[in-house]
């Protein structure tokens, strides 16, 4: 185990605690807000809440693992001999990353055929991206980390291409009141997902020991908050805007 300073230990500790609370609160908000949107968009909110709920559970486990790996007593941090289990994070991503794309696709309310096709293709690519990234994350040398990181980037590039090319035309079909929010949701997904590889490459900078551990854990945590809770709020707002637009359109037709 890399020895961390008291400041580094507390920073990571508080980051995990804050994220657990954030994910839990986001889950409650998203699920309790289902009644505020039209039935067609409630599944998207359910899945969005499921994403943050899964993340809340895993952050609780990550938080416990961090506390088990170190003791902080009398201003001194010591390793306990129990390894910090970073696999919780990858298990979380394997479950939630494909679902993040699913919720974005569902809220756009595409045709059944297009929804099924994009869900299968993007969900599979997202899962493959996580699976390929894990061997590099646990590797003890830079070349191995770089190899698996490069392989993981291949499905990532495909997902980005689909987000901007494949969903580009579909955004134009959205109600005018929701189009800008859908674009922001797509951009937020790209920006937050693009931050993960930057954090992944921290060991390439020459940083060592507790500094690397702290930077990676805090970096991934920030990205998770934006990618999951942040996107969840946007999914809710899009659902509300589209529900209002469709209700107004229906009222105009029956008037």
């Amino acid at each position: 185990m890399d020895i961390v300073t008291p400041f580094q230990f507390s920073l990571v500790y508080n980051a995990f605690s804050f994220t657990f609370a954030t994910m839990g609160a986001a889950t409650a908000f998203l699920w309790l807000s289902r009644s505020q949107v039209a039935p067609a968009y409630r599944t998207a909110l359910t899945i969005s809440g499921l994403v943050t709920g899964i993340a809340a559970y895993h952050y609780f486990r990550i938080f416990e693992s961090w506390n088990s790996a170190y003791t902080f007593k009398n201003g001194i941090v010591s390793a306990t001999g129990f390894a910090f289990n970073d696999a919780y994070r990858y298990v979380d991503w394997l479950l939630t990353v494909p679902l993040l794309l699913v919720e974005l696709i569902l809220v756009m309310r595409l045709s059944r055929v297009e929804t099924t096709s994009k869900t299968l293709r993007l969900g599979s690519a997202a899962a493959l991206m996580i699976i390929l990234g894990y061997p590099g994350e646990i590797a003890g040398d830079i070349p191995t980390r770089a190899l698996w990181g490069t392989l993981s980037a291949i499905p990532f590039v495909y997902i980005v291409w689909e987000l901007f090319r494949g969903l580009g035309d579909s955004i134009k079909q959205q109600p005018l009141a929701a189009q800008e929010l859908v674009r922001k949701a797509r951009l937020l997904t790209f920006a937050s997902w693009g931050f993960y590889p930057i954090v992944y490459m921290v060991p390439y900078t020459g940083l060592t020991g507790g500094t690397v551990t702290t930077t990676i854990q805090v970096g991934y945590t920030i990205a998770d908050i934006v990618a999951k809770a942040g996107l969840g709020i946007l999914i809710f707002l899009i659902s509300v805007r589209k529900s209002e637009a469709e209700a107004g359109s229906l009222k105009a037709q029956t008037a």
Side-chain angles (χ1 to χ4, degrees):
M1 286 293 299
D2 293 323
I3 297 300
V4 297
T5 66
F7 172 76
Q8 291 170 340
F9 174 84
S10 297
L11 180 62
V12 176
Y13 178 99
N14 291 325
F16 290 161
S17 177
F18 175 79
T19 307
F20 169 63
T22 300
M23 296 299 182
T27 301
F29 171 79
L30 290 165
W31 283 348
L32 292 173
S33 299
R34 291 176 74 254
S35 61
Q36 299 182 42
V37 304
Y41 303 106
R42 289 174 187 171
T43 301
L45 285 188
T46 298
I47 292 177
S48 188
L50 187 61
V51 166
T52 53
I54 292 171
Y57 166 75
H58 283 108
Y59 265 96
F60 175 71
R61 299 304 301 271
I62 291 170
F63 178 80
E64 284 190 319
S65 181
W66 183 258
N67 279 335
S68 297
Y70 298 99
T71 59
F72 186 14
K73 189 174 182 179
N74 298 324
I76 299 174
V77 178
S78 305
T80 63
F82 292 99
F84 173 61
N85 189 356
D86 214 22
Y88 287 130
R89 191 179 294 282
Y90 272 79
V91 172
D92 173 76
W93 289 344
L94 187 60
L95 295 170
T96 59
V97 171
L99 290 177
L100 285 168
L101 293 171
V102 171
E103 68 183 72
L104 182 58
I105 293 168
L106 286 177
V107 81
M108 295 181 73
R109 202 178 179 185
L110 308 175
S111 68
R112 180 173 297 183
V113 172
E114 195 173 5
T115 296
T116 301
S117 174
K118 289 187 181 299
T119 296
L120 289 175
R121 287 188 284 113
L122 289 174
S124 299
L128 181 62
M129 176 179 68
I130 301 304
I131 292 169
L132 290 174
Y134 183 64
E137 189 71 62
I138 61 175
D141 59 282
I142 296 300
T144 302
R145 189 180 184 91
L147 171 63
W148 288 102
T150 301
L151 292 174
S152 178
I154 296 172
F156 172 72
V157 170
Y158 169 72
I159 292 170
V160 171
W161 181 81
E162 279 284 358
L163 284 174
F164 284 89
R165 186 267 182 190
L167 293 178
D169 293 337
S170 300
I171 291 178
K172 298 174 184 177
Q173 302 170 16
Q174 305 297 307
L176 287 176
Q179 285 186 13
E180 187 59 31
L181 283 174
V182 175
R183 290 192 181 94
K184 287 180 179 178
R186 182 180 63 172
L187 184 60
L188 180 69
T189 301
F190 167 70
S192 59
W193 285 27
F195 189 63
Y196 288 101
I198 295 174
V199 177
Y200 183 91
M201 293 187 291
V202 165
Y204 303 172
T205 62
L207 297 176
T208 58
T211 302
V212 171
T213 300
T214 302
T215 304
I216 288 176
Q217 296 306 322
V218 173
Y220 282 153
T221 298
I222 292 171
D224 275 345
I225 291 174
V226 175
K228 296 171 184 175
L231 181 63
I233 298 302
L234 277 178
I235 293 297
F236 167 72
L237 294 175
I238 292 168
S239 299
V240 169
R241 292 279 181 88
K242 293 189 69 176
S243 298
E244 292 172 346
E246 290 170 10
S249 177
L250 181 61
K251 188 178 294 184
Q253 292 175 12
T254 56

